[in-house]
Amino acid sequence: MKDDEVTLKAPALEDASSVLKLLRQINNETSVVMIPHLDKISVADEEVSLEEINERSDCFVLLAVLNQVPVGIVTITKLDGQDNAGELGVAVLKKYWSQGIGSLLIDEAIYWFEHFSSIEHLVLDVFSDNQRAIHLYEKFNFVKTGQVEEKDSNGKMRLAWLMEYCG
């Protein structure tokens, strides 16, 4: 494996600190990633979260790693109150946008969803002005199912598309 090659890995407990650092950097680089109370999450909290995800068949997390440093992440988390639905979330450090990392992560998440998960529906929401992300999701057979207003990470209300994977 070359040093400049992106690899994928399921994060272990010892990756909690680097996952938290990645999420905080992504949150600072863009207002489109919605991770509530990120500043209050400790490494110990992240360890517990990773442990829970790794033990469940309705949750998934995968890192894109370059030179042993996480540069992207994809998650599927079970939606509260919707027993059969999981929400896809994908984020890549801005420096690595448009290099295929998001596509690689989404492709792996869909494979997990289709072959290993206990959930029946894969959904996401994306701000309606985020055309690059919408195009990416449509490329992977996500279709728009509705529109809602949501607060972005800066507290500003914005229109968002609800999308569902239609394999």
Side-chain angles (χ1 to χ4, degrees), residues 77-133:
T77 52
K78 184 178 167 293
L79 285 172
D80 290 334
Q82 296 184 36
D83 289 339
N84 60 356
E87 182 175 34
L88 177 81
V90 63
V92 175
L93 291 175
K94 198 171 195 173
K95 177 180 177 180
Y96 301 100
W97 286 2
S98 300
Q99 296 182 27
I101 296 170
S103 292
L104 184 64
L105 289 167
I106 292 170
D107 190 51
E108 290 295 319
I110 288 171
Y111 184 85
W112 174 85
F113 166 72
E114 292 179 333
H115 298 291
F116 300 105
S117 78
S118 62
I119 55 177
E120 298 172 17
H121 302 279
L122 186 57
V123 299
L124 61 86
D125 52 81
V126 57
F127 288 115
S128 60
D129 58 354
N130 190 349
Q131 291 302 312
R132 292 173 66 240

Side-chain angles (χ1 to χ4, degrees), residues 100 103-104 133-142:
S103 292
L104 184 64
I134 292 167
H135 176 73
L136 177 63
Y137 297 133
E138 288 175 337
K139 181 175 106 174
F140 282 96
N141 297 319
F142 281 85

Side-chain angles (χ1 to χ4, degrees), residues 39-94:
D39 57 331
K40 294 177 176 61
I41 298 172
S42 69
V43 172
D45 294 334
E46 188 63 26
E47 287 174 350
V48 169
S49 178
L50 290 174
E51 189 171 41
E52 283 180 13
I53 289 171
N54 288 332
E55 292 175 355
R56 297 175 60 163
S57 64
D58 58 0
C59 294
F60 174 80
V61 63
L62 194 65
L63 294 174
V65 179
L66 180 64
N67 299 323
Q68 301 179 8
V69 176
V71 296
I73 188 168
V74 65
T75 59
I76 298 175
T77 52
K78 184 178 167 293
L79 285 172
D80 290 334
Q82 296 184 36
D83 289 339
N84 60 356
E87 182 175 34
L88 177 81
V90 63
V92 175
L93 291 175
K94 198 171 195 173

